[in-house]
Structures are given as C-alpha cells and as structure tokens.
C-alpha cells in the first residue's frame, strides 16, 4: 500500500485483500489447501498400537479412502477441502500413476520421514489470485524400491539417500512441469488452470497429464444423509458438471491441447469417472461396497482395466486424460500444454462458419485465457515489489519471493473432531478400545476445521504451535489478516485446553512448546501498524486475554517447586539435552531448565509490553503490566540467586554461561555444563522501556520505582540497569547484566564455538572435541557436536539441535541484540568474530548475523548456494539454479540444507531478514564494513531501477503452443507517458532512500558517532 497525503493507492492484489477483509468478495475461499500427504498422519491412524506410518502407508494411499482429508500434487480446494483439484502424471515407465508425492515414513528413513521428490513453490499471492508450482518428473522409471532399500541400509551417521543421488536426472531426462492457477477478475470463484510441461531430455518422450477433481469422502462414515452425497458427471465433450450441497453447481471446462509438433493433431482429453471409495477387494480381498473405487484411474490407464471406470460417466471423482504420446511423444525441448477452468458457468466463444456467419459454441478463448495469467503474474510482481521496494540483488529478491510463496503454498485444510476420531464412526467398525489411551486422550474438546499454516505440507502436514508463531512474522508482511487468525485460533476454546495449555502438535497435543505466542502477537500487531497503517486493538486484546490463561497454566504446571525455575519438557528443541527432556530423568529429581526459565522471562516481558500498549486505551491494563513486571523480576532472580555458599543457580560464574540443572529438592542442584542454545535463550528476555512510556503511565512507573527502592535484594542483584538509563534515556529490563552479556557473546561470537559462517549453531563446536557425558545405572548419556543430521533416535531422529543452524532461534537472537543496542548504543562493542580484532556494536553484530543467514541461500562469488551442498546441477544448471529449497535446519559448518526440504514455515523468516537488511547484504568474500559494502555494490545494486512492466504476452492464432507467443505488444503514447511518470516517481523515492542508507553506512564505516543506529534497530523491530 502506498500513501500520499490522505489518499491510499492500492495495487490489484491489495484491492483483493481489502475486498476479502471487508467481506465484499471471498477471494480466499479457494486456495492451495490440499495436503501433500494425508497418509501416515495421526488423524488417519486407527491402529491399536498408534503406529500411524504402518497403519496407513503410501502404497495403500492410491486405493484407500481418507477419513479426515485429501492429498495431491499442486492441489487446490475450497476452504473445507470438500471439492479438490489436483494433478496426476504418467511417463509410461512407472508402475503406478503419479497422483501424490512419494516419500519415506519415519521408520523407513535413516533420518526419519522425508519426501523423495523434487518440487518447488515458485509463486503465490495472499488471495491465491496467481499461483505457480514446479514438479520435476523423471522420464525413467521412478526408483521407489531403490530409495527404500538404500535408506534402510544406511546408518544415522551418513546422509539420507535422496532422489538426486539416484542419478535419475542425469542427461536431463526429466520433465519440468509448471502448474499455474489464476483467478478471474470478476468472479473470485472462477479458477483457471494451466499446465506447461517441458521435455528437458535429449530424446522425444511420452507424457500423460491427468487433472483430477475429487470430492472428499464425507458420505460413508454415517454423519450425513444420503441426499448430501456430491457428484461429478459428464456434461459434454469438454465439460464435466459437479454438484455439492454446500458448494452448489460448477463446471470443469476443458480445452483441447495443441499438438506437440507442427504436424501433430490436437490432443483431445478423455473424461474418466469413478468413486472416491476404498478398493476393499484390492487391499483386503473382500467385496467392494462401491462398484467403482478410488484407484480406478490407475487401473484404467496403466493396467488397461476397461471396467475400472464408470461407463455411465458419473461418480465422486473425475479425471481428464491428456495423452501426449503421438509418435515418440514430445520432442526434446518441446512442451505440452493443458488448459482448463473451474467455473459456475460454461464459457462460449464465437467463430465464423463456412457460410461466413458468426456462430457460438462452448469453448475456452485461449488467447484471453493466457492473457489472464500474464495479467495476474504482473500483478503479483507489482504486489511483491511494494513489499520490498528498496533495491537489492535479483537473487535476493527471488529468494524472498519464493520464501513468501512457500509460506502461502503451505496453507492447508486441517480437520479433526476428537469425539469422532476417538470413538469411531456409526457406519464403520469400532476402533480398538486401547487406542483411546495411546495419545491425546485429554483433548476431548478439540473440533478443528480450519485453514492453518503448516511447517511443511509433506513432512509436517499438521500445525505445530511454536512453528506457527514464527510463520506469522513473514505472513504478516503480506497478509496480516491471515497471520492474526493463526494466532487467534490457537487460543480459541476448540483448540486451547480448558486449563489454558495451547496444543503442541498432533503426535502429542499435550507436549510443551516454547511460549512464543505473546511475542508473535505483538510483533504482527506492530508489523501491520508499520506496513499498513492499521492498529487492530481488538485482535491484540482478544489474544492477550486468552494468553493470560496460558501464562497461568505455565506458572501452575511447570514451576513444580514454586521457585520461578521452570522445567517444561523438550520445548521444541528435541534432542538438545543429555536426556530426553519429555521423559522422567533416569537420575531422579527434576530438570530445571535455563531455556524454560528464559522463555518464561521472555513471555513475561512480552505480556508486559502488550499490557502497556493496551493501557494506552484502557488504563486498567497498567495494573496488569505491573503484575508481569513482578513476574519478570522473580523469574530473573531465580536464574542467578545464590543462598550463601549453596548454589541453586543456572548461571555458571566460572564458565560465564547458563546451564540446565538437576534438582533433587532443597537448596542444591547439579549443573550439566553443556554449551547449547539453552544458555543463549536467556538473551531473549530483554525489553527497553521508552521514557515517553514511563511518563504516560504513572501508576506503572510508581509500582516499578517502589520495587526498585524496597526490593533492592531482587532488583539490584540480577536485573540489568534498573536505575541507570541508557541511550535515549531508555530503561532496560533484561535477564543478563552488561557483564553477563559480554561473557555470553564472547562464546556466541566465537567461530570455534557458536558462530558459523551461516549463523549461530545450536550447540557449541567446543563439544566436538569435548563431549559431555553422564553414566546412570551403567548407561552412558552423551552430548557431542553433530553439525549435520541427527545421530540420535530421540523424537524420531529427523531433526537435530546438537550443532545445526535454525533460523527461528537466530531470528530471536538478532532481535535481542537490537534491543540491547537500543539501550547501550554504539559505545558497547564486542569482537566479532571473537579474537578477530574486528570490533562492532551490537547493531552491527545483528546485521552481520542476518547477512550470514542470508548466505545460506544467496549465491556466492562462484555461483554456489551453501544450502545446495556443492551440487553442480542445483547451483549451475539453468533449469535448477534459480529455484531454492527452504530446509528445516542447516549444517553447522557448511550451511547445507537438512531435514524437511520445504519448511518455509520458520525458514520463511529469511524473507523478513532480506526485507530488513538485504539492501546492503554483502557476499561472503566482499568487504565487511557497511560503507565499503555500499561502494562494492554501487554498480550492482544502487544503479538498479524498477523493471519496465512486462507486456502481456499474446498467442498467435496459428498455434496454441505456449512457446509461440509474440514478445511485445505495441505501447501507445498515453501508456508510455504514464509509465515514464511512474518511473520518475519511483526513482525519486528510491534515490531518497539510497541517500539515507549510504549516509548511515558510510558514517558508520568511519566510526562517526553521529551515525546513530537506533533508528535502524527500531525499524527492524517494527516500532511505529
């Protein structure tokens, strides 16, 4: 949104978002809400032993109906996944139809579950008006068994075996299949689909493209009457009609596809129909309840079973079979194109008959159809340019765009009703009685039926509470309404437990995630205020009230001895500890966690911050702010208190670091000296209070002053700078004092400990040569530095917090450094890296960390991306090099991507970092200082101007091939003048911003004390 005076200028996508927000049009009713994996989930597990992977496997998925959702490739559905559109493919080599992405279940992989396909989320807008997905489909037989066998044979000490390792993409023998969708300008529920498949190989090859429509099975469970069963049926040669009692009547209108050579005839789609019911006979050898079943298309196309589909041409699942198999297939370098649309009407087009008269017929005007995609793509470019208008390298802009896209593609319909899930359905066999006690038996209130932001649509197709909080930061930049709903819904009564606990994730709703929701709530409130000029106080107050319940749950349940030292469990950090922190200690006693206590101090400060914001409008919140101030003080005291000669502190004075400790009751505890993120998390608990705030709230200030004067034992013993004011007369609330901060940073910024070329490691590299171990009852428990995949089976072994880099905690560390910098200013400096002789203030350290994290994805001087692990194909092949994976975590030494490959969930935070510091992001081998970097990039960045808007590409009438479209349309004089005026205005704005950036950077480079970085620190923290 651009504001000039009292006027706001909205681009097309912003107008759609506004219409959706005001409920004038429901632009988000249809979106990419179909999961990429429904099999192997807890929701579909009805086993007696809780083995979800074994109970519903990949091999069963093609024939067995899902109870709680659907899945597919590049799937689109309504917001309840009632009617689902997806795509299937066949290369005439595979034994099964490619209807869903293949991957290994947790027991099959040497590092847990993982998808074994190549796909990318290339583009998406918040209203899903334009979406683009790339699937790389091998032309050789897919190596299902090879992948299974090789991974099974591998130990946890070696990398997992992925599809690229099989060599199946050698000689470019694969298809690049681009799947695009675009929404109509006038009817937000009319969706256009275009599939463009390029043969990248050296020889001609056949390809079958099979778009599908599937109704989620809601009719066999016994919860709805037979008259509400949906249907899809043949209407005419190129039209199928669908009907659903909630969605109404719609039409799927197909277009013939152009032949793949000039001499080829058009490809006419063949309509197929079956039912989305389980093939009981194929799976279990018993009679089917439905004559036509879920795997009908597979059996018809691949097994040549002509009676596998319904000759009456109706059912609850339909497909359009486009066979590009004339001759040898699509020639090398050629492409196959499929166009169709989902609409409430059947489109007609005009033509001149042989008598010269104008006639009409049902059909898609393909030139208008293609122009709609070009328009939507241009509008997407315009929208994202407004999000990040400052100049940056094209590579960084591409990374940011794909990060946003991944965030939007991983929105998914999530459905689970505990009562039905636990007790079974009226028309199905009852589940084993022991199943109720396996998991989630205390969450009977849950009734989930929402579009949620998932960590990864294949590997983690379920919400995870603390992941969601991080998702909302980049989401708030592009769609604050959706971001707010994510945090809001987790605190609603059908999610949050009556006792106040927020559900963790479906494998164990009762597990404990870090309390980051207050932080995320206030952050997205401020992001919306800064970027869109809106203050949603209703949202802030509503979520705050529910978080009061959650805070109370933490205090009552996780502080067992009432000492303000919290245990909490694994807290999202899986295998970071010596022991499994979600289980009872083998030593006995209670684990007092530095991170849990640090998280609670962090929680207290964020609740304090929200209370002060709300107090601007309702003074009663001043009292609540005072309460959280006291909570913070007592938690802080517990972190560092010593009672005479007896130690019960989590701070180790000799090492200058925080450690977990085992408490057996009483005044003593045993520290476990493991240098990990556990000891860095206390840095998160930092807040600066502006003098204006203190003046505005005399009641809060009076209470705070009383505490400082009357509880000096607490206030002065541990709390940083309670009386001394910092830069700008600010007051600092922090767990760590100036001295502790410096000592912790010595280790955090040491490249032999925490500081990697690509961010902060989760475990110090010190433990590579000095592992820590304890022996209990003859069993050794050990923590050592493991920078790559996990060598432990804790929590399934598919994530690792013993060395790798995680963006979520790095993001919070960066914010903490900026907060400290706002208080201490430029005079507080540290060596970065430790021992290098390079001295930086904390604002520069924060920027340095942001740049190192960006180097994970950004090309270096040699065209390499660290996350690609040195793969020549990924780094240099023109059909691969611009596409980016967003892994779950990254190798602690070389930045290689690890874990889930599409976890744009919290890895999508890189979009916010690029927004904040991408304008002066240096490459790994370029000068370090901001001023020198500005000079280095002058030609590459600062000379850049916004690209001229691309004209809409038309298509020649002589052919329907997408390759054969004109490159330029004529630009009339009026358009030219308007474009030049826009260019002048944008250049003026960019030049103004560049002067500001260069003046700050240049002054900082020469040590000018006037170059105060407070403004940049505040902007990165999105202060209004």
């Amino acid at each position: 949104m651009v504001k000039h005076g009292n006027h706001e200028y909205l681009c097309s996508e912003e107008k759609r978002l506004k219409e959706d927000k005001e409920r004038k049009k429901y632009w988000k009713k249809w979106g990419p809400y179909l999961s990429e994996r429904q099999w192997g989930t807890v929701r579909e597990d009805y086993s007696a032993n809780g083995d979800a992977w074994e109970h519903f496997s990949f091999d069963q998925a093609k024939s067995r109906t899902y109870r709680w959702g659907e899945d597919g490739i590049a799937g689109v559905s309504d917001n309840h996944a009632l009617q689902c559109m997806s795509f299937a493919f066949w290369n005439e080599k595979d034994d099964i139809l490619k209807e869903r992405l293949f991957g290994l279940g947790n027991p099959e992989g040497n590092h847990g579950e993982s998808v074994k396909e190549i796909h990318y989320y290339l583009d998406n807008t918040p209203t899903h008006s334009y979406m683009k997905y790339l699937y790389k489909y091998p032309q050789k037989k897919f190596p299902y068994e090879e992948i299974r066998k090789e991974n099974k044979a591998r130990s946890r000490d070696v990398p997992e075996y992925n599809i690229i390792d099989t060599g199946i993409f050698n000689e470019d023998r694969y298809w690049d299949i681009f799947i695009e969708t675009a929404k109509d300008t006038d009817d937000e529920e009319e969706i256009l689909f275009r599939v463009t498949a390029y043969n990248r190989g050296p020889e001609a090859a056949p390809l079958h493209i099979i778009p599908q429509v599937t109704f989620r099975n809601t009719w066999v469970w016994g919860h709805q009457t037979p008259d509400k069963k949906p249907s899809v049926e043949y209407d005419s040669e190129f039209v199928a009609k669908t009907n659903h009692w909630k969605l109404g009547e719609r039409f799927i209108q197909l277009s013939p596809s152009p032949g793949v050579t000039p001499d080829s005839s058009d490809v006419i789609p063949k309509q197929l129909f079956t039912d989305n019911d389980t093939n009981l006979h194929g799976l279990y050898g018993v009679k089917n309840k439905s004559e036509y079943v879920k795997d009908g298309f597979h059996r018809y196309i691949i097994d040549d079973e002509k009676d596998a589909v319904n000759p009456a041409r109706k059912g609850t699942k339909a497909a359009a079979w486009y066979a590009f198999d004339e001759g040898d297939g699509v020639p090398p370098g050629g492409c196959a194109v499929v166009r169709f649309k989902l609409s409430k009407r059947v489109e007609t087009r005009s033509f001149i008959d042989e008598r010269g008269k104008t006639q009409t017929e049902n059909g898609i005007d393909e030139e208008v159809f293609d122009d709609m995609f070009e328009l939507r793509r241009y509008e997407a470019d315009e929208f994202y340019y407004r999000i990040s208008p400052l100049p940056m390298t094209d590579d960084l802009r591409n990374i940011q765009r794909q990060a946003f896209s991944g965030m939007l593609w991983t929105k998914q319909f999530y459905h689970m009703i505990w009562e039905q899930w636990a007790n079974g359905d009226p028309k199905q066999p009852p589940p084993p009685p022991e199943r109720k006690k396996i998991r989630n038996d205390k969450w009977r209130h849950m009734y989930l039926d929402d579009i949620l932001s998932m960590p990864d649509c294949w590997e983690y197709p379920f919400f995870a509470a603390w992941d969601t909080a991080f998702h909302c930061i980049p989401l708030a930049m592009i769609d604050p309404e959706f971001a707010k709903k994510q945090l809001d819904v987790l605190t609603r009564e059908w999610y949050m437990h009556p006792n106040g606990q927020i559900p963790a994730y479906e494998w164990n709703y009762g597990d404990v995630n870090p309390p980051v929701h207050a932080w995320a709530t206030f952050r997205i409130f401020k992001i919306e205020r800064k970027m869109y000029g809106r203050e949603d106080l209703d949202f802030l107050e509503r979520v705050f009230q529910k978080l009061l319940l959650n805070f109370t749950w933490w205090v009552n349940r996780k502080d067992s001895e009432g000492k303000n030292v919290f245990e909490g469990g694994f807290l999202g950090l899986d295998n970071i500890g010596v022991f499994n922190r979600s289980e009872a200690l083998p030593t006995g006693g209670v684990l007092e966690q530095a991170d849990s206590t640090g998280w609670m101090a962090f929680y207290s400060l964020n609740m304090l911050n929200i209370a002060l914001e709300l107090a601007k409008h309702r003074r009663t919140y001043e009292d609540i702010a005072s309460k959280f101030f006291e909570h913070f003080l007592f938690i802080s005291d517990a972190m560092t208190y010593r009672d005479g000669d007896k130690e019960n502190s989590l701070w180790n004075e000799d090492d200058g670091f925080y450690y977990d400790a085992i408490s057996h009751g009483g005044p003593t505890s045993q520290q476990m000296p493991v240098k990990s993120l556990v000891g860095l998390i206390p840095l998160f608990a930092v807040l600066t209070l502006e003098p204006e705030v203190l003046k505005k709230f005399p009641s809060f200030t009076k209470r705070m002053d009383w505490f400082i004067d009357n509880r000096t034992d607490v206030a002065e013993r541990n709390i940083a700078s309670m009386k001394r004011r910092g830069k700008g007369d600010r007051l600092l609330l922090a767990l760590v004092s100036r001295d502790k901060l410096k000592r912790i940073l010595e280790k955090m910024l040491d490249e032999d400990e925490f500081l990697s070329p690509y961010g902060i490691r989760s475990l110090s590299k010190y433990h590579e040569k000095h592992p820590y171990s304890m022996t209990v009852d003859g069993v050794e428990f050990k923590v050592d530095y493991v920078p790559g995949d996990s060598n432990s089976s804790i929590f399934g072994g598919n994530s690792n917090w013993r060395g790798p880099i995680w963006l979520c905690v790095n993001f919070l560390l960066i914010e903490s450094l900026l907060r400290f910098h706002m208080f201490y200013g430029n005079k507080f400096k540290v060596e970065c890296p430790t021992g290098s002789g390079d001295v930086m203030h904390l604002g520069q350290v924060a920027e340095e960390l942001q740049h190192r994290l960006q180097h994970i994805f950004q090309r270096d001087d040699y065209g390499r991306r660290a996350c690609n692990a040195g793969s020549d194909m990924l780094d240099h092949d023109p059909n691969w090099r611009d596409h980016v994976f967003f892994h779950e975590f990254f190798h602690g030494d070389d930045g290689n991507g690890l874990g889930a490959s599409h976890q744009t969930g919290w890895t999508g935070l890189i979009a916010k970092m690029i927004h904040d510091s991408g304008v002066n992001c240096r490459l790994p081998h370029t000068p370090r200082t901001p001023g020198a970097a500005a000079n280095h990039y002058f030609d590459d960045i600062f000379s850049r101007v916004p690209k001229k808007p691309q004209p809409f590409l038309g298509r020649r009438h002589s052919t329907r091939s997408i390759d054969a479209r004109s490159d330029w349309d004529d630009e009339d004089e009026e358009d030219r003048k308007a474009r030049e005026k826009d260019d002048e205005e944008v250049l003026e704005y960019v030049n103004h911003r560049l002067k500001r950036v260069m003046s700050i950077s240049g002054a900082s480079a020469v040590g000018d004390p006037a170059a105060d970085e407070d403004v940049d620190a505040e902007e990165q923290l999105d202060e209004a």
Side-chain angles (χ1 to χ4, degrees), residues 140 151 243 284 356 552 643 691 795 996:
K140 297 179 182 178
N151 277 283
N243 202 300
Y284 313 115
T552 302
D643 183 11
F795 285 89
R996 178 179 177 278

Side-chain angles (χ1 to χ4, degrees), residues 17 27 41 64 82 200 214 311 334 388 479 590 602 610 740 802 828 859 911 957 985 1005:
L17 284 167
W27 283 103
T41 61
R64 184 174 167 188
L82 298 170
R200 301 300 190 194
T214 304
S388 294
D479 188 0
V590 172
F602 174 71
I610 296 174
K740 288 188 175 71
R802 294 183 176 181
F828 183 92
R859 289 194 185 102
H957 292 286
E985 292 176 353

Side-chain angles (χ1 to χ4, degrees), residues 368-419:
V368 173
F369 188 95
D370 287 344
D371 284 348
M372 183 64 74
F373 280 92
E374 299 306 322
L375 176 61
R376 292 291 171 265
R377 183 179 58 79
Y378 166 70
E379 291 170 350
D381 291 345
E382 181 185 31
F383 173 76
Y384 282 112
Y385 187 82
R386 289 192 177 204
I387 296 298
S388 294
L390 290 180
M392 63 180 71
T393 63
D394 289 342
D395 188 39
L396 277 177
R397 196 173 290 280
N398 175 52
I399 294 165
Q400 184 188 53
R401 179 79 164 261
Q402 290 186 50
F404 282 134
S405 173
M407 297 297 306
L408 295 170
W409 271 103
T410 49
K411 290 166 64 172
Q412 179 187 315
F413 171 70
Y414 188 90
H415 189 37
M416 202 282 288
I417 303 170
W418 188 92
E419 183 66 29

Side-chain angles (χ1 to χ4, degrees), residues 255-276:
S255 179
S257 289
V260 295
T261 67
D263 300 327
S264 300
S265 56
D266 284 353
V267 176
I268 307 300
K270 183 173 185 177
Q271 295 187 50
L272 306 175
F273 299 84
T274 188
D275 281 303
N276 186 21

Side-chain angles (χ1 to χ4, degrees), residues 353-368:
D353 65 15
E354 57 189 15
R355 295 174 296 175
K357 293 186 177 182
T358 301
Q359 303 288 347
T360 60
E361 64 177 359
N362 291 345
I364 293 174
D365 186 324
E366 293 171 351
E367 186 170 4
V368 173

Side-chain angles (χ1 to χ4, degrees), residues 280-295:
L280 297 170
H281 182 266
L283 288 171
Y284 313 115
V286 299
K287 185 179 179 180
N288 284 330
K289 295 181 179 180
S290 175
E291 186 174 357
Y292 304 100
V293 290
K294 183 177 178 180
D295 57 13

Side-chain angles (χ1 to χ4, degrees), residues 199-219:
N199 181 358
R200 301 300 190 194
E203 299 173 353
L207 177 66
H208 300 256
I209 301 175
I210 307 105
Q212 299 184 129
V213 55
T214 304
F215 284 107
R216 176 164 62 88
N217 192 318
T218 58
W219 54 88

Side-chain angles (χ1 to χ4, degrees), residues 470 516 519 599 602 684 808-816:
F470 292 104
V516 291
W519 165 79
W599 283 121
F602 174 71
F684 298 167
C808 53
V809 288
N810 271 262
F811 190 84
L812 291 177
L813 283 170
I814 289 165
E815 286 204 347
S816 299

